[in-house]
Amino acid sequence: MEPSVEHGTDRVKRGLAEMLKGGVIMDVVNAEQAKIAEEAGAVAVMALERVPADIRAHGGVARMADPAKVQEIIAAVSIPVMAKSRIGHFVEAQILQSLGVDYIDESEVLTPVDENHIDKRAFTVPFVCGAKDLGEALRRIGEGAAMIRTKGEPGTGNVVEAVRHMRKMNAQIRWLTTVDRNEMMAAAKELRAPFGLVKEVAETGRLPVVNFAAGGIATPADAALMMQLGCDGIFVGSGIFKSGDPAERARAIVEATTFYEDPETLAKVSRNLGEAMVGIDIDTLAPTDRMQDRGL
Amino acid sequence: MTVGVLALQGDFREHMAMVRALGADAVEVRTPGELESIDALIIPGGESTTIGRLATAWGMMDPLRERIEAGMPTLGTCAGLIFLAAGAVGSDQPQLGVLDVVVARNAFGRQVDSFEADLDVSGLDRPFHAVFIRAPWIEKTGADVEVLASIPDAEGREHAVLVRQGAIVAAAFHPELTDDDRIHRLALGLGEGG
């Protein structure tokens, strides 16, 4: 290679997320599911040991997937493969990078190991992190995250929390663009976020990285709702492979994410999809079962 | 001039911003009807399998082929190059086949191998800073295809990454992720003198 070639730059890391925009990233637990996802038009798959609904049901400590599982999924598809590490577990992240995964999700779905998040700038592979609000997003970006997603309550089939996070993010960005320059440091203090990033968002009116919807998306209408609220794309966890007809539902969610502003198309793709995954009312969850409150 | 950007999936907004900065109108294209009113076309970066499957499911393959083969200026970047091409090594994904090249997908490797580099482009007076993300390279080119830029792989073998065939320009990299609009001007005849 020429001497001027640079790997692992912010532009290259954030750039892959830009290419995933308008697309659907699907949780899969084996090669067969990964192929169904690719065939349905997924832009990437998330390689997991268990989908969030099963992690929630199983209880105990949830960890990085078995490397053999991740490799099986990498070998099965041509689209990017993501995998989850525990929050703060930089060695799981080192292992996932060495396996060749294309993105690491430092995820609240797994059991956190540290109050600190991973120093993501130490890696060549890019990271996506969850955020419930602007301050959390900017803290993660400050640590080196190249992509953000909402932190909707995983494995519930209930999109209410993802909606809440996106609305809050949008409202805080709108507010920040109206803040007087002299009040910018106070704004950074209130958001508990790095000053440089706060100033950047105030000037541009947008996050410096792509922001996807994640957590509780179970139907084509849920995906289109999140897109209309301004998300750049969609993660679907348990919603596909915990439903009655995964291939059909996967295809319908992909099409709904593209044609999110066209209700007639949404009606067409939503027909006869069989049973959606069983949902959970968030108010029935004990505070200790709320994954979104992990790793703020 | 109205430039349509295929908006089935990918970074179509970055292309639209660049087109508008060059003084042309940019519209999103998802359906055959939306193809009718455009003078030029961009197929953006994204996942080529996703774009191909959506284009097939929504009846876009033949209308796209007809307009491009009739000589509409067309720019494809990364996934756009793959979608325009006649073939992809080891893949049977939907492709338009209007550009007489065979591509190798993810040819430089996985995301950790994605890179930025300065590229000498035939016809441009200074190098183009190119961003390659899980990029393809061009394995084979037909007789009517002109190679405008190539880059060596890890073993030092040169591979075409920017080509022109008639009114089609296709790049393995992402000019839309930079502030450099020279490839958009070259492909679409936009900007001064365009």
Side-chain angles (χ1 to χ4, degrees):
Chain A
M1 285 267 171
E2 294 170 5
S4 62
V5 166
E6 292 176 278
H7 295 90
T9 60
D10 276 354
R11 182 142 59 182
V12 159
K13 289 176 170 177
R14 294 175 182 187
L16 178 55
E18 300 285 350
M19 297 312 137
L20 302 174
K21 283 191 300 191
V24 182
I25 300 164
M26 302 181 192
D27 279 4
V28 298
V29 301
N30 56 41
E32 184 199 352
Q33 289 187 354
K35 283 181 184 148
I36 292 170
E38 183 176 46
E39 194 58 38
V43 290
V45 291
M46 178 76 70
L48 285 169
E49 195 89 37
R50 293 189 189 93
V51 296
D54 289 335
I55 289 173
R56 192 176 281 289
H58 192 265
V61 174
R63 310 179 179 90
M64 173 186 82
D66 184 327
K69 175 76 69 186
V70 176
Q71 282 171 315
E72 168 195 329
I73 290 164
I74 286 176
V77 293
S78 68
I79 56 178
V81 176
M82 301 184 168
K84 290 184 194 291
S85 77
R86 283 179 267 178
I87 290 172
H89 206 315
F90 51 86
V91 173
E92 285 188 348
Q94 290 165 3
I95 292 168
L96 292 172
Q97 175 168 276
S98 81
L99 294 173
V101 304
D102 297 296
Y103 240 97
I104 295 175
D105 183 4
E106 187 181 15
S107 177
E108 71 280 6
V109 169
L110 306 184
T111 310
V113 300
D114 196 339
E115 286 76 38
N116 298 293
H117 283 68
I118 296 169
D119 169 19
K120 292 167 272 288
R121 294 194 188 281
F123 290 78
T124 308
V125 69
F127 282 75
V128 53
C129 289
K132 293 163 63 171
D133 56 37
L134 181 58
E136 196 173 348
L138 297 183
R139 289 193 292 279
R140 296 296 86 78
I141 296 166
E143 293 156 0
M147 179 178 184
I148 293 293
R149 54 170 177 75
T150 64
K151 235 173 156 185
E153 198 55 44
T156 62
N158 189 340
V159 77
V160 60
E161 295 298 304
V163 169
R164 194 190 314 277
H165 302 166
M166 196 57 199
R167 282 212 182 277
K168 182 150 188 206
M169 185 83 75
N170 288 340
Q172 287 179 312
I173 291 173
R174 276 197 304 273
W175 161 73
L176 202 50
T177 61
T178 67
V179 167
D180 187 274
R181 282 180 65 91
N182 294 301
E183 297 163 7
M184 205 56 75
M185 188 58 84
K189 187 177 161 197
E190 187 177 325
L191 291 169
R192 297 186 295 130
F195 179 76
L197 289 171
V198 169
K199 195 161 153 284
E200 186 183 339
V201 173
E203 284 162 4
T204 62
R206 56 182 294 266
L207 279 183
V209 303
V210 162
N211 185 16
F212 269 48
I217 293 151
T219 69
D222 290 347
L225 172 68
M226 296 311 299
M227 293 297 287
Q228 286 199 25
L229 286 172
C231 287
D232 293 308
I234 305 291
F235 281 91
V236 189
S238 319
I240 290 173
F241 289 100
K242 284 285 163 189
S243 75
D245 186 345
E248 275 305 307
R249 184 164 295 266
R251 224 184 318 274
I253 292 177
V254 167
E255 291 177 356
T257 301
T258 291
F259 296 96
Y260 67 94
E261 290 178 306
D262 177 0
E264 283 176 30
T265 301
L266 295 174
K268 193 172 148 196
V269 305
S270 299
R271 281 190 191 118
N272 299 320
L273 295 179
E275 282 289 308
M277 72 176 283
V278 177
I280 299 175
D281 183 346
I282 305 297
D283 293 337
T284 65
L285 287 179
T288 50
D289 290 333
R290 283 166 59 92
M291 294 176 176
Q292 62 180 292
D293 298 331
R294 297 167 165 179
L296 303 173
Chain B
M1 171 152 168
T2 301
V3 179
V5 184
L6 191 66
L8 294 171
Q9 190 274 318
D11 69 336
F12 51 89
R13 285 194 196 95
E14 282 63 29
H15 280 289
M16 294 178 74
M18 194 160 263
V19 166
R20 285 178 182 142
L22 284 165
D25 293 328
V27 295
E28 296 176 10
V29 172
R30 293 184 180 83
T31 61
E34 289 165 343
L35 264 180
E36 283 164 19
S37 59
I38 63 171
D39 308 305
L41 174 71
I42 297 176
I43 303 176
E47 267 310 308
S48 61
T49 52
T50 304
I51 293 170
R53 286 181 214 299
L54 283 165
T56 304
W58 292 86
M60 287 292 277
M61 298 296 280
D62 285 337
L64 280 167
R65 278 188 194 110
E66 277 162 30
R67 285 300 310 269
I68 297 168
E69 281 172 347
M72 176 167 60
T74 300
L75 170 64
T77 63
C78 195
L81 158 67
I82 298 168
F83 188 49
L84 288 165
V89 176
S91 171
D92 58 359
Q93 64 192 91
Q95 289 174 288
L96 292 173
V98 292
L99 175 64
D100 189 13
V101 302
V102 174
V103 297
R105 291 183 58 204
N106 308 326
F108 294 93
R110 303 194 65 85
Q111 172 61 13
V112 290
D113 305 304
S114 293
F115 63 97
E116 305 181 34
D118 286 334
L119 197 62
D120 287 323
V121 175
S122 140
L124 297 184
D125 55 358
R126 59 198 155 76
F128 193 94
H129 190 71
V131 184
F132 290 84
I133 296 174
R134 284 175 47 94
W137 68 46
I138 293 163
E139 194 83 18
K140 269 193 279 186
T141 54
D144 296 333
V145 177
E146 181 190 358
V147 175
L148 301 179
S150 61
I151 196 166
D153 64 20
E155 277 83 50
R157 290 189 307 139
E158 290 279 331
H159 301 277
V161 290
L162 179 66
V163 294
R164 176 162 55 197
Q165 175 192 314
I168 304 172
V169 173
F173 51 93
H174 295 284
E176 74 278 14
L177 291 185
T178 69
D179 296 325
D180 194 337
D181 57 18
R182 288 179 295 164
I183 287 177
H184 284 73
R185 281 171 17 207
L186 178 88
L188 306 171
L190 292 173
E192 64 269 34

